[in-house]
Amino acid sequence: MEKKDLRSIVGQEMLDFLAKHKQKPFRAKQVNQWLWERGATNIRQMKNLPGTLLDVLEEAFEIPAASVQNAQTATDGTSKVAFEFHDGQLAEGVYIPSRKRVTACVSSQTGCNLNCAFCATGQLTHGRNLTAGEIFDQVVAIKNMAEEQGNRLTNIVYMGMGEPLLNYDNVLQSVDYITGKPGLEMSPSRITVSTAGIVPGIMKLADDKVRFHLAISLHSAIDETRNRLMPINKKYPLDALSEAIQYFHEKTGERITFEYLMLRGVNDSLDEAAALARFCKSFPVKINLIEYNPVEAFDLKPSTQETVNDFVQFLEKRNMIVNVRRSKGQQIDAACGQLANRNVNS
Ligand code: SF4
């Protein structure tokens, strides 16, 4: 009989299993504490459970935990971690220590079908959704890495490989395990989920009244440019995206963050800045302008410093909140848009 993933058994299903094997209901809480507080990867680690329960659990279930296949560290301290899952699929997470915070960037899928023109992950089209447990494993591994270096993990961003809102249920469940009890009990305000603009997913987040931050990879507020950079814009154009963002803001009161890669001669003109300013009129936003990290396969270049300065000035004159972000981890292809399972065997 094929064993089920113990981490996919939630609520009543676990209680039914325990009842069937004449075990007390409180054992469910103990199992969950092992899984989501202590990150157990083997049923035999659950030492406070009776042997009879361990036997039946082991017969029916397994814990297909991710393993760290490789970790590379750049001189700026950023580490890229390659995770291998039980079926041989790979995804990458990134540990990003900085003066103010220590961030784990995690993947939600093992590739991505959205094919953004600047993204190395988009080249890996045959991926699958990661389970909540597999996302959680990345967080725990990076948290441990931070602690080994005397740091404490402070922030988690779902900005690694994949589109989180196309793996909605597993992503939200993983957030529950990161923020909940039993779980890592981190504050939802420390978590950011980033989307390419999946309109129904944004509406659902609003209806679910999530408490984490939402970031949107915008990269242009002109449909023609955005269609070229992000083909998903043809399905969910800027008008629809704007409505979804307004709805999200109304329901949650949250300010959205826009991620905007500065690409030379593509989206860095003052016309683009004016379109961005217009697009941001209907809701409060923060804009992160991100330096582009060249990816070999694409003919794209970072904007010049002068252009970035002009772009920032234009937006700031219109009272917009703008940060300019330098991506960390370029040296090891761990920066934004560079995750593509390269060098996993090196
Ligand atoms: S930027 Fe995000 S959504 Fe676009 S291809 Fe890369 S991983 Fe997918």
Side-chain angles (χ1 to χ4, degrees):
M1 185 182 75
E2 202 178 310
K3 292 184 182 184
K4 278 182 152 180
D5 179 354
L6 180 59
R7 299 191 295 189
S8 68
I9 308 300
V10 286
Q12 194 57 43
E13 202 178 345
M14 176 51 78
L15 293 173
D16 291 347
F17 177 86
L18 291 170
K20 186 174 151 204
H21 294 281
K22 303 191 174 27
Q23 299 283 338
K24 297 267 191 313
F26 76 88
R27 298 289 182 198
K29 187 175 172 194
Q30 288 179 315
V31 170
N32 279 326
Q33 282 170 333
W34 277 105
L35 291 176
W36 307 113
E37 277 177 19
R38 304 194 202 185
T41 53
N42 183 319
I43 288 166
R44 289 283 154 190
Q45 285 174 308
M46 302 181 178
K47 294 214 184 316
N48 57 350
L49 301 186
T52 47
L53 176 54
L54 291 177
D55 290 343
V56 289
L57 282 173
E58 215 172 34
E59 221 171 280
F61 303 112
E62 59 187 355
I63 307 174
S67 58
V68 172
Q69 206 208 32
N70 178 288
Q72 295 171 277
T73 304
T75 47
D76 65 11
T78 304
S79 296
K80 180 172 72 172
V81 187
F83 293 95
E84 181 169 5
F85 304 103
H86 68 99
D87 56 355
Q89 292 258 354
L90 301 164
E92 290 172 340
V94 188
Y95 163 59
I96 313 161
S98 72
R99 215 159 33 86
K100 286 196 188 146
R101 59 174 76 93
V102 175
T103 305
C105 172
V106 295
S107 293
S108 54
Q109 298 179 308
T110 59
C112 188
N113 288 324
L114 299 191
N115 259 313
C116 298
F118 47 81
C119 176
T121 307
Q123 305 281 296
L124 307 171
T125 50
H126 300 291
R128 68 160 170 86
N129 285 342
L130 292 175
T131 64
E134 289 166 337
I135 298 169
F136 184 79
D137 287 339
Q138 298 171 62
V139 174
V140 171
I142 295 172
K143 181 174 176 284
N144 291 342
M145 193 177 249
E147 284 166 8
E148 277 161 24
Q149 296 182 18
N151 290 326
R152 195 173 59 85
L153 182 66
T154 59
N155 292 69
I156 297 168
V157 295
Y158 286 70
M159 293 186 185
M161 295 166 61
E163 165 51 57
L165 299 190
L166 293 181
N167 185 13
Y168 191 96
D169 292 342
N170 290 335
V171 164
L172 261 72
Q173 199 167 16
S174 69
V175 170
D176 282 347
Y177 295 132
I178 294 164
T179 57
K181 189 169 171 55
L184 303 180
E185 294 186 65
M186 287 181 72
S187 164
S189 65
R190 298 284 179 175
I191 298 178
T192 301
V193 172
S194 176
T195 174
I198 307 297
V199 164
I202 297 169
M203 311 285 268
K204 192 160 170 13
L205 288 177
D207 289 334
D208 287 343
K209 297 202 173 60
V210 294
R211 287 161 54 230
F212 50 75
H213 296 299
L214 179 64
I216 295 183
S217 295
L218 191 68
H219 310 310
S220 176
I222 296 177
D223 273 318
E224 207 187 342
T225 315
R226 198 165 190 266
N227 284 345
R228 274 207 318 272
L229 291 174
M230 306 182 74
I232 191 67
N233 193 66
K234 292 179 194 154
K235 188 164 180 189
Y236 304 119
L238 288 160
D239 277 353
L241 184 59
S242 172
E243 271 175 37
I245 295 169
Q246 282 178 54
Y247 185 69
F248 180 86
H249 174 64
E250 276 163 29
K251 287 268 182 171
T252 65
E254 273 273 343
R255 183 175 66 186
I256 316 288
T257 300
F258 285 146
E259 308 289 347
Y260 197 106
L261 274 175
M262 292 297 286
L263 300 166
R264 194 184 304 176
V266 177
N267 65 350
D268 61 356
S269 66
L270 291 185
D271 281 350
E272 288 277 353
L276 179 57
R278 280 194 302 277
F279 188 71
C280 294
K281 278 219 165 105
S282 319
F283 30 71
V285 292
K286 183 178 85 179
I287 298 166
N288 287 338
L289 298 180
I290 306 163
E291 180 185 89
Y292 174 65
N293 305 297
V295 172
E296 242 171 65
F298 313 131
D299 188 21
L300 293 166
K301 293 190 178 64
S303 301
T304 62
Q305 196 53 55
E306 203 188 337
T307 312
V308 174
N309 293 345
D310 292 348
F311 204 91
V312 171
Q313 230 178 43
F314 184 95
L315 295 174
E316 283 183 342
K317 267 195 196 146
R318 283 148 187 86
N319 295 323
M320 302 181 70
I321 303 169
V322 188
N323 296 309
V324 181
R325 290 271 164 92
R326 265 204 96 229
S327 285
K328 297 187 89 188
Q330 290 187 37
Q331 189 191 9
I332 51 171
D333 293 340
C336 293
Q338 288 187 324
L339 298 181
N341 292 332
R342 273 195 294 259
N343 303 325
V344 286
N345 294 311
S346 61

